[in-house]
Amino acid sequence: MPASSSSAARPLARTGAALRRRAAHLLARLHHDPASRGLPRRAQVRALLAVLDEAVAAQQPADAAVAACGEPGPVSGRTAQDCGHAGSVIVRLRARLLALPLTQPDLVAAQAYAGRLLAYDQWMLRQSLDLAFSTHPDARTQEARQRLNGLGRPADDLRRLRDALRAV
């Protein structure tokens, strides 16, 4: 019995070694391929701006959803759905933003900054939901909830970042 199990493991080991060799060969080819070194600067700026334009547009419903969480009185289930949808959109946009193959140092810095701003938007949506739908509401929670009025300065910062990149 042990002989058959070790003979079955050998083809898998050979396959694994072959896969590692093929992966190393592919990485070496990509490393030496000039096309894999990155897009031209103009293309990188356009790609970054495309995602930032969508992110700025996505902030409008997110801002409205956060503000709705802070309105006096009971918060509707529709507001929870709006927050959830806005949060999902921002998560996808942030993933697309961080996946951009940027190589220019200033664009990489702008990408990281925009990623932090979108992470704040995600956090703000989540905190708004937590305050609006608290399982144990008390006076402090209600006071904090009623101070919610939107995404605030980070949303403005994202718009300014996008506008500054347009001027480049």
Side-chain angles (χ1 to χ4, degrees):
M1 198 67 121
S4 64
S5 66
S6 65
S7 63
R10 283 188 190 133
L12 291 176
R14 284 187 208 133
T15 304
L19 288 174
R20 283 190 295 277
R21 278 194 306 275
R22 288 178 63 197
H25 179 69
L26 177 62
L27 288 173
R29 264 190 22 223
L30 286 174
H31 181 69
H32 295 296
D33 182 9
S36 69
R37 289 196 184 123
L39 300 170
R41 180 176 175 78
R42 293 190 88 176
Q44 289 182 38
V45 170
R46 280 194 309 268
L48 182 56
L49 277 173
V51 176
L52 290 180
D53 283 339
E54 287 183 55
V56 167
Q59 282 184 322
Q60 291 172 341
D63 189 65
V66 169
C69 286
E71 291 177 1
V75 181
S76 72
R78 179 68 189 166
T79 297
Q81 290 174 339
D82 291 346
C83 282
H85 179 70
S88 295
V89 169
I90 289 174
V91 165
R92 286 192 299 274
L93 284 168
R94 184 167 180 253
R96 280 184 42 214
L97 172 76
L98 297 178
L100 290 174
L102 304 178
T103 58
Q104 301 290 314
D106 61 328
L107 299 180
V108 171
Q111 177 186 37
Y113 182 52
R116 289 191 303 273
L117 293 171
L118 289 174
Y120 170 82
D121 291 350
Q122 287 175 252
W123 177 83
M124 190 64 182
L125 283 160
R126 180 63 194 178
Q127 294 303 311
S128 299
L129 279 172
D130 286 349
L131 287 170
F133 296 96
S134 175
T135 54
H136 302 290
D138 59 15
R140 268 184 51 212
T141 303
Q142 289 306 310
E143 182 183 328
R145 181 182 74 80
Q146 289 178 352
R147 280 188 268 148
L148 294 172
N149 62 2
L151 293 173
R153 195 187 90 217
D156 298 333
D157 290 348
L158 188 66
R159 281 190 292 277
R160 280 192 286 274
L161 175 63
R162 185 225 25 212
D163 294 344
L165 280 171
R166 278 188 180 156
V168 170

